[in-house]
């Protein structure tokens, strides 16, 4: 007998279908079987009252560090994907800066197998652009593409060589994959600790200017124009970069970009407390940069919100500010931060928020089973959340192994109650199912 779950009376927000209305949704086994009157007429279902709740496609993260293999003291694929499910995610792209580096098919398959074993969230392993992330010689992009890799990045490192980046984009065109750049000029960011400006001078910390990012973005847009390859600019932080990307899209480049919740929310001035959880890469920038990022997300210059989930062991983040590694966790807080900082104040509609958190990132990664549309016969990859529920970040223990959240102590709005991956609850009533 088929398993049936009826989500009754939810506000169904489905950007891919252009749908935003109250409806019942029936899930049978792994798929959505009915929506609306057809769903509510079925009998013998496990009924969940969703009045006042939002039902949306499961979220998709373009950029997360799961740390395995090699750094299991920070996070594992199992704990990271459990945290992702708790945040409403049903798919994510895992960065390749592991040990060994995911610069070959063997490591990519290891990540995929560990994710399949955990069964909590679909994981697409990113492949490195260059061997050992050294920026010198290309990996076998074709072989990894044949193994299912769709995005290649040296994240944590910028590909400094124009020649190497050109070759990577040419391969991207040949194999229809995405080259994702961590845009950071080495010369302008040497020894950096935060954004260069008034507050870096005030705090006595070495700054890196916004131009360290935008110079690389400008070069890579020129290379994308030259080669016709697909370029993705990740964790955009500078207003100048937003304007360059806007112009590049208007000129017809195969181009996409993402921004993190922390860059959409926090500022360089927040570092006056020397809170090491606020040391991120790229650094938090000025209020002008933040406003440009928000505008870029609203007008679709920036396609997606990506967490850049970067867990660290407690002892790593307890060092002095200039000694600690950069990064903040984000999978459990991303939805709530976007709802609190962008949707609630009216800067972004709820449908647009789901588009940037689910529909667009799924399209960039070519994940046809994710991001909607929520129609009969489609896989039941769903997130159900209470958009008005308030909670304080850190009051409840994190699901992730790490605790280095830039949002610890902040009151946010929006709580995930149910996450479903192909018809199976990974989170139910706000608690992971395993």
């Amino acid at each position: 007998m088929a398993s049936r779950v009826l989500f009754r009376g939810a506000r169904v927000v489905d950007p891919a279908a252009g749908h935003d209305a109250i409806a019942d949704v029936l899930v049978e086994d792994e798929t959505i079987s009915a929506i609306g009157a057809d769903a509510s007429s079925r009998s013998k279902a496990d009924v969940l009252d969703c009045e006042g709740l939002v039902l949306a496609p499961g979220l998709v993260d373009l950029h997360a560090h799961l740390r395995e293999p090699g750094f299991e003291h920070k996070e594992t694929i199992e704990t990271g994907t459990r945290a992702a499910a708790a945040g409403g995610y049903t798919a994510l792209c895992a960065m390749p800066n592991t040990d060994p580096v995911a610069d070959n098919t063997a490591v990519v398959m290891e990540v995929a197998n560990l994710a399949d074993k955990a069964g909590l969230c679909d994981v697409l392993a990113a492949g490195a652009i260059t061997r050992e992330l050294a920026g010198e010689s290309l990996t076998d992009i074709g072989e990894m593409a044949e193994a299912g890799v769709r995005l290649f990045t040296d994240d944590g490192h910028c590909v400094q060589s124009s020649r190497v980046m050109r070759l990577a984009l040419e391969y991207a065109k040949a194999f229809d994959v995405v080259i994702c750049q961590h845009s950071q000029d080495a010369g302008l960011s040497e020894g950096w600790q935060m954004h260069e400006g008034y507050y870096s001078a005030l705090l006595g910390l070495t700054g890196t200017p916004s131009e360290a990012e935008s110079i690389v973005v400008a070069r890579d847009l020129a290379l994308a124009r030259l080669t016709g390859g697909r370029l993705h600019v990740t964790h955009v932080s500078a207003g100048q970069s937003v304007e360059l990307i806007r112009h590049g899209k208007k000129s017809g480049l195969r181009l996409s970009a993402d921004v993190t919740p922390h860059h959409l929310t926090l500022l360089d001035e927040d570092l006056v407390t020397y809170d090491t959880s606020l040391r991120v890469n790229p650094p938090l920038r000025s209020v002008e940069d933040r406003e440009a990022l928000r505008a870029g997300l609203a007008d679709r210059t920036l396609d997606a919100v990506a967490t850049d989930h970067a867990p660290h062991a407690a002892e790593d983040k307890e060092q002095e500010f200039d000694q600690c590694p950069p990064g903040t966790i984000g999978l459990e807080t991303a939805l709530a931060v976007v709802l609190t900082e962008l949707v609630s104040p009216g800067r972004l509609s709820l449908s647009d928020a789901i588009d940037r958190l689910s529909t667009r990132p799924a399209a960039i990664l070519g994940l046809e089973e994710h991001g909607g549309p929520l129609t009969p016969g489609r896989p039941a990859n769903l997130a159900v959340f209470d958009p008005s529920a308030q909670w304080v970040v850190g009051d409840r223990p994190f699901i992730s192994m790490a605790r280095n959240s830039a949002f610890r102590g902040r009151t946010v709005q929006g709580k995930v109650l149910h996450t479903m991956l192909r018809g199976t609850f990974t989170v139910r009533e706000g608690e992971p199912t395993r």
Side-chain angles (χ1 to χ4, degrees):
M1 181 177 177
S3 63
R4 290 179 176 176
V5 177
L6 177 66
F7 296 95
R8 176 172 288 165
R11 177 183 173 186
V12 179
V13 179
D14 180 11
H19 183 84
D20 184 349
I22 305 298
D24 294 346
V25 176
L26 181 66
V27 172
E28 295 190 68
D29 292 330
E30 296 186 357
T31 62
I32 298 167
S33 62
I35 296 179
D38 288 343
S40 55
S41 65
R42 307 290 179 89
S43 61
K44 296 183 179 179
D46 180 6
V47 180
L48 294 177
D49 181 9
C50 294
E51 183 178 355
L53 306 182
V54 173
L55 185 149
L59 308 186
V60 178
D61 191 8
L62 283 166
H63 189 136
H65 299 268
L66 298 184
R67 303 303 194 199
E68 190 175 12
F71 303 102
E72 290 85 352
H73 64 291
K74 299 185 178 188
E75 191 82 282
T76 67
I77 289 172
E78 181 179 355
T79 62
T81 54
R82 185 175 291 116
Y89 287 89
T90 55
L92 61 81
C93 186
M95 294 296 100
N97 55 339
T98 51
D99 185 17
V101 173
D103 60 3
N104 60 80
T105 303
V107 179
V108 165
M109 295 308 297
E110 179 183 358
V111 171
N113 291 336
L114 287 167
D116 287 345
K117 182 179 179 181
L120 296 164
C121 180
D122 285 349
V123 174
L124 181 70
I129 297 172
T130 66
R131 299 186 187 280
E132 295 294 327
L133 307 177
E136 297 176 356
S137 59
L138 289 180
T139 59
D140 195 333
I141 291 175
E143 181 180 278
M144 285 192 281
E146 289 179 2
V149 177
R150 300 171 189 174
L151 183 142
F152 292 82
T153 181
D154 275 6
D155 184 62
H157 304 271
C158 176
V159 178
Q160 300 291 330
S161 165
S162 299
R163 179 186 65 82
V164 172
M165 192 63 180
R166 175 186 180 174
L167 289 172
L169 286 164
E170 288 174 343
Y171 273 92
K173 183 178 181 182
F175 293 100
D176 193 25
V177 294
V178 180
I179 298 298
C180 171
Q181 177 70 295
H182 174 126
S183 305
Q184 192 171 47
D185 181 83
L188 288 176
S189 57
E190 184 177 357
W192 73 274
Q193 295 162 349
M194 66 175 294
H195 171 65
E196 181 181 294
Y198 171 80
Y199 286 97
S200 64
L202 177 68
L203 299 174
L205 296 173
T206 304
T208 179
S210 297
E211 286 80 3
E213 176 180 284
S214 60
I215 283 172
V216 175
V217 171
R219 181 205 69 177
D220 288 348
L221 294 182
L223 293 174
R225 185 175 293 109
L226 175 66
T227 62
R230 287 182 63 191
L231 173 67
H232 181 83
V233 184
T234 192
H235 47 48
V236 177
S237 69
Q240 298 164 337
S241 301
V242 176
E243 190 53 42
L244 287 165
I245 293 164
R246 183 177 288 118
H247 179 74
K249 285 190 168 187
K250 287 179 179 177
S251 68
L253 296 182
R254 302 176 70 196
L255 175 62
S256 56
D258 69 63
V259 60
T260 72
H262 45 277
H263 288 106
L264 288 165
T265 305
L266 304 170
L267 299 170
D268 59 344
E269 64 187 63
D270 295 317
L271 295 176
V272 293
T273 62
Y274 293 94
D275 182 351
T276 58
S277 290
L278 300 180
R279 184 163 195 249
V280 293
N281 188 13
L284 302 174
R285 299 201 186 271
S286 70
V287 65
E288 293 80 12
D289 289 309
R290 184 184 67 180
E291 293 312 303
L293 296 174
R294 290 175 169 180
L297 189 67
D299 70 11
R300 302 191 182 209
T301 298
L302 304 178
D303 300 80
V305 175
T307 68
D308 195 8
H309 177 80
H312 289 290
E315 58 269 24
D316 293 337
K317 279 292 193 176
E318 288 170 357
Q319 301 179 77
E320 293 295 322
F321 189 88
D322 61 345
Q323 298 297 315
C324 78
T328 176
I329 57 175
L331 287 167
E332 298 169 63
T333 54
L335 174 62
V337 170
V338 170
L339 293 175
T340 304
E341 298 293 331
L342 300 178
V343 176
S344 184
R347 297 185 179 102
L348 202 66
S349 71
L350 181 57
S351 181
D352 281 346
I354 298 303
D355 176 71
R356 310 305 192 270
L357 285 160
S358 177
T359 306
R360 283 298 299 144
I364 290 167
L365 292 172
L367 298 177
E368 296 181 357
E369 292 189 351
H370 295 271
L374 303 180
T375 53
R378 292 272 300 165
N381 297 320
L382 310 171
V384 179
F385 59 92
D386 183 343
S388 60
Q390 291 191 339
W391 53 287
V392 177
V393 177
D395 273 7
R396 166 179 164 166
F398 291 104
I399 305 299
S400 167
M401 285 174 60
R403 302 292 178 264
N404 56 299
S405 172
F407 298 102
R408 179 184 286 274
R410 293 175 72 102
T411 299
V412 292
Q413 181 175 318
K415 182 174 178 56
V416 174
L417 296 178
H418 312 294
T419 307
M420 183 173 269
L421 179 65
R422 283 183 289 280
T424 297
F425 283 106
T426 54
V427 172
R428 183 160 183 169
E429 302 294 350
E431 298 292 338
T433 56
R434 52 197 167 98

